[in-house]
Amino acid sequence: MERESLETLATVLAVTRVKARLPQPERVQELLAAGDPGEVLDSISQRTLFDDPVLERARRDVEEWTGRGMGVVSVLSEAYPARLRDVREAPALLYYEGSLAAGDQGVCVVGSRDADDAALRVASHVSTALVEAGLTVVSGLATGIDAAAHAAALKAAGRTVAVMGTGLERTYPRANARLRADIVESGGLVMTQFEPGAAVRRANFPMRNAIMSGYGITTFVVTAGEHSGTRIQAVKAVEHGRGVILARRVAQTTSWGREMARTGRALVADGTDDILAQVHDLQAERARAEDLLRELTA
């Protein structure tokens, strides 16, 4: 797979930074439609041929980041995660360490940072089962359920992907620095939509949850509170057409979980077989859609 040039990456970065009224999702759609970041930059900015400080700064930044060993991939690359490209929130650029897999078959395992022992055991058991089924475990590198999911995948010698809510130069929380290193060393992936040096804000984490949902086939919520950030990912999973799977305790103890289960927007799982069956159904549904698209465009 051909590696993107620094100039392509810098121009895409400039598209995201240039002052214009066009929201970021629309900029991404313009990039995908045109396939040429220079064309998009020209269309949304007033740049001149010899005076483009935004592009010059972007060139310096990309060169510095890649020189520090950081991976950068744009939405235009064949290496960009295919499922993530499908959703409105797909970022123009991803920053990463480890191994990209465009066709990754990942299941998000998410839940509370302060999960009890029973919930942690569920996260570990489900993550192990997913790995044994040849699937990737996707989570957010937080304490609690996230860390348990990543650790179980690693213990089972499987692939796991950590989606962060900070720039790549940070590890949040710091206590998970060794876990992060283990993910990369095992052939997994640590990635973020936030460029290095970006400020850490509370809004970053709901945005991170949307990216996680987009990356995965579906989301399994192990445990969550009434106002948990995990609820945001559950809602996004439904919006993305991924569906969401709730542990029964979530469906019973939260009003949003009960409502999602009652309206059929979420499956309630009593065991790993329920989760794997849902994953296989969604994989088959996507395969049928892709076959139909190939027939229509042949």
Side-chain angles (χ1 to χ4, degrees), residues 59-243:
R59 287 176 179 136
R60 291 195 299 271
D61 285 343
V62 171
E63 188 170 9
E64 177 194 346
W65 298 335
T66 56
R68 289 161 57 187
M70 297 181 182
V72 187
V73 65
S74 88
V75 72
L76 299 175
S77 172
E78 292 181 2
Y80 190 94
R83 287 180 182 274
L84 181 55
R85 188 189 283 114
D86 290 344
V87 305
R88 175 176 170 77
E89 293 88 352
L93 291 166
L94 289 173
Y95 307 89
Y96 69 94
E97 288 182 309
S99 302
L100 286 171
D104 212 359
Q105 301 291 300
V107 175
C108 304
V109 179
V110 298
S112 303
R113 288 178 170 83
D114 58 352
D116 58 28
D117 289 344
L120 294 175
R121 285 195 296 272
V122 169
S124 296
H125 180 71
V126 168
S127 297
T128 300
L130 292 171
V131 165
E132 291 173 349
L135 297 160
T136 296
V137 173
V138 183
S139 202
L141 202 64
T143 55
I145 295 298
D146 290 11
H150 291 308
L154 292 172
K155 186 176 181 180
R159 175 173 165 86
T160 185
V161 172
V163 185
M164 302 201 307
T166 67
L168 204 60
E169 80 286 359
R170 296 174 180 262
T171 299
Y172 181 81
R174 290 182 181 179
N176 282 345
R178 182 65 255 174
L179 176 61
R180 170 180 172 170
D182 289 344
I183 291 170
V184 173
E185 290 169 9
S186 73
L189 175 68
V190 175
M191 72 176 199
T192 179
Q193 65 185 304
F194 301 104
E195 63 182 65
V200 180
R201 300 185 175 92
R202 289 189 68 178
N204 287 16
F205 294 92
M207 294 168 68
R208 181 274 309 270
N209 287 111
I211 299 304
M212 241 197 296
S213 166
Y215 190 99
I217 298 169
T218 191
T219 290
F220 172 52
V221 181
V222 182
T223 184
E226 187 62 41
H227 304 290
S228 170
T230 305
R231 177 181 62 87
I232 296 170
Q233 181 158 343
V235 171
K236 284 296 178 184
V238 174
E239 288 180 7
H240 294 156
R242 304 295 196 260

